[in-house]
Amino acid sequence: MAAQTVLQKLEILADAAKYDASCASSGTAKKNSLGGKGIGSTEGMGICHAYAPDGRCISLLKILLTNHCVFDCHYCVNRKSSNVARARFTPQEVVDLTLAFYRRNYIEGLFLSSGIVKNSNHTMEQIVEVARILREEHDFRGYIHLKTIPEADAEIVHQAGLYADRVSINVELPTDSGLTRLAPDKDARQIEGAMGKVKADLVEAKDARKRFKHAPRFAPAGQSTQMIVGADAATDADIVGKASRLYDNFRLRRVYYSAFSPIPDASAVLPLKRPPLIREHRLYQSDWLMRFYGYKPADVMQATEADGNLPLDIDPKLAWALKFREAFPVDVNRASKEQLLRVPGLGVKAVGKILASRRHRALRLDDVALLTQSITKVRPFIVTVDWRPITLTDRADLRSLLAPKSEQLELFAA
Amino acid sequence: MTALQHVKLGTYYVVHLPEADDFDFWRERARALVQSDVPPDRIAWVEPGGSGDLFAHGERRMPVPPMDARPVRANRRFVSLAKNAILHSDPERFALLYRLLWRLQSNPRMMEDKADLDVRRVEELDKNVRRDSHKMHAFVRFRLVESEDEEVGEHYVAWFEPEHHILRANAGFFMRRFSNMRWSILTPRGSLHWDTETMSEGPPAERHDAPGGDPMEDLWRTYYASIFNPARLKIGAMLKEMPKKYWKNMPEASLIPDLIAGAQGREAKMVEKGALEFEERPDTLAAIDKAIHACRKCPIGQLDNHAVMGEGPQDAALMIVGEQPGDQEDQTGRPFVGPAGQLLDTHLEKVGIDRRAAYVTNAVKHFKYVQRGKRRLHQNPGAKEIDTCRWWIESERAIVKPKLVLAMGASAARGMLGKTVSISKVRGAPIPLEDGSELWVTAHPSYLLRLDGPAREEQARLFDADLAAVRARLEDQA
Ligand code: SF4
C-alpha cells in the first residue's frame, strides 16, 4: 500500500476523534507570545473558531495520534476487532499541523488523544512527545489538552501535566458494570486511581506556586472527564450521582457527556437504539444547575421520573419546580437570590438584574418581562407588585402548558 | 454665576469626532458639556462621514465650563460600558452615552436599574460590540503570502468585515497571539499591520487586496468535514453561533451545504455498517431457537450449516458454554454430541456433575469450517464473530439465569466477557458477572483430545480440578 499522505491521515484521525464531546479551551493560565520565540496566547476565555453542522464548537485541532488500538472496547470505533481504516501520525506531523493551523488562526491549540499502540506507556510517551516538541522546540503558548492513558505510569502522566493546559482521563461509562461489560480491558479502579494522582499533582503544583512564583505549572486548566451516555443501562440519576462524586473526589473542572452515537462496525453488545440527543442536553442542563444555581445532586435526582431519568420534554429546573410547587410562587421583590435561582425561566443574569433593579423600584410584571427571556415561563412561579399566580401553580396541566413545543421540534430534527 | 446662566439660552452644539472609535475625545467633550449644563437635546454628535448634523447652524466651539462647576461623575460600570459601546456602528451612540452621563449626575446609581431603557440600550450596544470582537478573534483567517524577498519572509494576511469599529481595539489581541509572525488584517474600515515589532495602521482595504487562497485550506477543510459527526446534525445551533454573514470569508464554510445534505446518508451508512439490527431480545428459549436458525449476522451463518440451540432445564443452576458446534453437532442439531462432548460427559460424571441438570450451550451458534474435499475442517471463530453471536448467549442467559457459568475454552470466555483472556491465568477462581452470577473458566475438552501421554494426563487433572471446584461451589450455593 502506498504511504498515506498527511491529508489522508488527517481524514481518518479526525474522523475517529469526532465522538469526543469536549472541546473547551478556556479557564487556563493567561499566556502570550510577547518576548518569546514562538506563537500563541490564551486569555482565559476560549474561542470557538468555527462551528460544525452538529452545532459543536471547533476550538482545537482534535485528533488521534493513531487509531490503532490493542484494546477492545465495544463502544469504541477504534477497538481492535473493528474493521475501520487505520492511520498513524508521527509526533512531528501533529506538531506541524498544529502550528500551521494555529498561524492561520483556525484553532486555539491541540487536543490530542490516541488509541493504544504497543502498550500504554509507549503511547503516553508519544503523546507527551508531541507536547514537548510544541512547547520546548517551538515555544508554543497556545492551548494543549492531552488525553491521558490511565494504565500508563504515573510519572509519564505527570510529564503530560507539565506541558498541557488540561489533562483528561475518561471514565467512559457511568457504572462499573457497564465498564466491565463494554470496556473489558479497562478497570474502573485504575481510572479513578489515575484521576486521583492527577488531582494530587494539581494540588501540589498550586501549593508550590503560592510559595515560589516560578514553580512549574501543572495543567492550569485542570482535569476533565467524559462519560458515554446511553450505551449501558445507567439512568440519569446514576449518571448525576457518578458525576457529582467525581467532582467531589477529583476536583474535576468539567464532566462531559457524550450521547452514544452509532459507530461504524459496531459491536453487537451495544444497545439497539441510540439515546435521544436531548438526553445528553438534559444532563448538561443539570450539570449547569449544580455548578451555577446551587442545586445539589440530590435535587437533580429528585427531578427525575420514576425510571430514574430526567424528563425529555421539559428542562430539569422546570421538572424540579413542578415537583416542588410548595416552594412557589416566589416574590421577586423579596425573595433571596437562592430562591430566585430556582424559578424556571430565570437565569443567573436575570436574577442579577432583578436583585440590582429592585433596589430602585418595586418590580412589576412588565419590569420582570424586560429582564427575562420569556415571561410566560416565569409567570406561574413569581409574585410581583401587580401579579400573583393564584391558581396557575396548582393547575394540573401546568407541565403541558409550559413544555416548549417548538424546541422539541427543533431537537427532533437534531 | 450658575451654569444655567452660563449657557446661552437656545444654543445648539455640534461636536465633530475625529475618529469613530475615539472614546477619549468624546469623554473630554462630554465632560465640558455636562459641566456647562448643556442638556442632551441641544447637542449633535457627528462622526467622520456621518450625517448627523441636525443643527446645521449649531455652535461648533465648545462652551467653557464655569470655574466653580462641579466635577463630572460616572461610575466604573458606566465607563467600561461606554468604552465599548462607542465602538458600535449605531450613529446614535454618542448621544445615548451623553444622555446617560447627564442623567447619572442626578441619579448616581442609575446604572443598576436594568429596567431603564437607556441603560438597556447601552448594555445592548456593549454586548453587540463584544460579540463582534469575539467573532473577529474567532473568524479571522490568515493566508500565507510567501515573498520572493528573503528578508521579508512569511507574511500572513487576512480579510475581515467587522460590523462595528472594533479593529483598533482588537489589535492587542492579535499582537499578543502572533507576536513573532508578520501579519496584516485588512478590513473595509481600515487595516492593521504588525511586523513583529511595531503596529501600524493603514487605510480601508478591499477584498481583492487580500490573497485569495492558501494550500493549508485543503487540510483545514478536510479536518472540518471529518470532525463533524453526521449523527448529530444541529443546524440551528451552528447558525446561532456562526451566522451566515461571516461565512463568505471562512474557507471551511463552503462545505456546509454539502455536509448538511449528506449527513443523513452518512449517518445511515454508519448505522448500516455498524449496528447489526437485532430486534428485541426473544423471551423464550423456543423463540431463540427459531431466531438463531434465521440468523445471518456474521459470516459463519452464510455457510452451509445449521444453528445448534442449547439444551437442558430452563431453570438450571449451571450453564456450560462451549465454543461452537462441530460437524456432528451441526448434523444432529444438538450440542456436545461429538468426541469432545463424550469426553466432557466422562469428566462430568467423574466429578459428580449431572449433565442433565445443566444447561449446555455454545458461545457461537453455527459451525465454522473450511471444506477440504468431502471433509469439513473445524475453524476457530474470530473475535468479531464471537462478539456478534454474544447477543444469543446473553439472551439464553437472561432466560435461564444460571447461578454459575462454566465457560470452556478462550472463545467461550470471550463470549461471556467480551475480551480474550488467557485460560491458565483465570482458571480455578470465580469471575463475578454483572448480573450477580459467577463465571468459571476452564479449557475446552477438545484441547484434551489433541494431547497425548503425560501432557494429556496433566491437563485432564487440571480439568477435573476445575470441574470439582464448580461442583463444590454449586453445592455451597444450593
Ligand atoms: S454464528 Fe451466531 S451470529 Fe453468526 S450467524 Fe450464526 S447465530 Fe448469527
Side-chain angles (χ1 to χ4, degrees), chain B residues 246-258:
Chain B
Y246 295 108
W247 290 16
K248 60 178 186 286
N249 297 320
M250 298 170 74
E252 65 275 26
S254 62
L255 300 178
I256 295 173
D258 282 349

Side-chain angles (χ1 to χ4, degrees), chain A residues 148-154 157 169-171 176 179 187-201 223 242 246 249-250:
Chain A
T148 66
I149 316 265
E151 294 80 10
D153 283 352
V157 175
I169 300 170
N170 285 0
V171 293
D176 288 1
L179 194 73
D187 172 356
R189 262 169 310 166
Q190 201 163 33
I191 293 171
E192 298 203 0
M195 282 183 179
K197 286 199 194 93
V198 169
K199 177 195 159 186
D201 283 344
Q223 67 168 329
K242 173 84 178 190
L246 292 172
N249 293 346
F250 306 114

Side-chain angles (χ1 to χ4, degrees), chain B residues 150-335:
Chain B
E150 287 271 318
E151 293 273 294
V152 178
E154 298 185 333
H155 184 194
Y156 290 85
V157 183
W159 169 250
F160 190 71
E161 296 170 44
E163 213 172 307
H164 306 292
H165 305 279
I166 57 166
L167 182 64
R168 195 178 290 139
N170 285 299
F173 172 85
F174 290 95
M175 181 187 78
R176 289 188 295 278
R177 172 155 295 192
F178 303 110
S179 65
N180 294 298
M181 197 169 100
R182 228 163 66 79
W183 55 261
S184 298
I185 299 176
L186 314 181
T187 84
R189 295 178 186 275
S191 49
L192 283 178
H193 309 277
W194 171 255
D195 66 359
T196 74
E197 270 163 22
T198 48
M199 186 78 72
S200 53
E201 285 181 33
E206 282 180 46
R207 194 180 186 146
H208 64 249
D209 297 328
D214 183 306
M216 266 299 142
E217 287 176 1
D218 278 342
L219 279 163
W220 174 238
R221 275 190 287 263
T222 299
Y223 175 67
Y224 182 77
S226 308
I227 202 70
F228 156 56
N229 186 350
R232 311 178 54 112
L233 200 59
K234 272 188 175 177
I235 303 165
M238 172 187 67
L239 284 173
K240 189 167 157 253
E241 299 296 340
M242 195 169 74
K244 277 198 174 145
K245 66 178 178 207
Y246 295 108
W247 290 16
K248 60 178 186 286
N249 297 320
M250 298 170 74
E252 65 275 26
S254 62
L255 300 178
I256 295 173
D258 282 349
L259 288 178
I260 292 175
Q264 271 200 333
R266 260 178 85 192
E267 185 191 358
K269 250 208 205 133
M270 277 162 70
V271 174
E272 183 195 317
K273 269 175 77 181
L276 296 147
E277 282 293 321
F278 284 100
E279 299 76 40
E280 295 285 303
R281 275 190 198 286
D283 51 7
T284 64
L285 291 174
I288 297 177
D289 194 5
K290 208 171 146 204
I292 58 175
H293 277 88
C295 181
R296 302 280 180 273
K297 305 287 185 206
C298 84
I300 308 180
Q302 316 287 342
L303 300 171
D304 180 16
N305 52 19
H306 305 102
V308 175
M309 181 63 185
E311 64 181 34
Q314 188 172 324
D315 58 354
L318 173 66
M319 181 184 262
I320 300 178
V321 184
E323 183 187 42
Q324 64 165 333
D327 196 21
Q328 290 190 34
E329 285 82 6
D330 181 58
Q331 293 182 23
T332 56
R334 296 187 49 210

Side-chain angles (χ1 to χ4, degrees), chain A residues 299-374:
Chain A
D299 293 328
V300 175
M301 289 180 203
Q302 281 171 334
T304 60
E305 310 202 299
D307 64 357
N309 287 327
L310 292 166
L312 294 178
D313 60 335
I314 54 173
D315 66 69
K317 197 179 182 191
L318 180 57
W320 188 88
L322 290 176
K323 275 203 178 170
F324 295 91
R325 293 192 188 193
E326 63 277 13
F328 302 96
V330 161
D331 184 341
V332 295
N333 285 302
R334 284 203 200 89
S336 66
K337 184 176 172 189
E338 290 68 34
Q339 286 173 306
L340 287 170
L341 284 171
R342 295 258 163 169
V343 175
L346 288 188
V348 174
K349 274 196 190 147
V351 168
K353 287 182 192 166
I354 288 174
L355 292 172
S357 300
R358 76 185 187 184
R359 276 182 238 133
H360 297 269
R361 55 173 93 191
L363 297 174
R364 312 175 68 81
L365 194 62
D366 285 348
D367 296 321
V368 179
L370 280 177
L371 302 176
T372 56
Q373 302 260 348
S374 151

Side-chain angles (χ1 to χ4, degrees), chain A residues 113-165:
Chain A
S113 171
S114 182
I116 296 171
V117 273
K118 281 193 198 157
N119 55 53
S120 304
N121 281 349
H122 171 80
T123 309
M124 197 62 231
E125 277 163 8
Q126 296 280 300
I127 291 173
V128 170
E129 178 63 3
V130 173
R132 187 198 65 76
I133 301 177
L134 276 170
R135 294 284 197 231
E136 289 185 354
E137 294 179 15
H138 298 276
D139 195 16
F140 175 67
R141 301 185 184 178
Y143 194 92
I144 298 180
H145 178 161
L146 299 179
K147 179 78 68 68
T148 66
I149 316 265
E151 294 80 10
D153 283 352
E155 183 42 41
I156 315 174
V157 175
H158 179 78
Q159 279 295 317
L162 293 177
Y163 291 122
D165 290 274

Side-chain angles (χ1 to χ4, degrees), chain A residues 16 28 64 69 123 138 148 173 239 244 287 291 311 339 352 413:
Chain A
T28 189
L64 266 59
C69 192
T123 309
H138 298 276
T148 66
L173 292 158
I239 293 168
S244 88
D287 197 61
R291 290 192 301 143
Q339 286 173 306

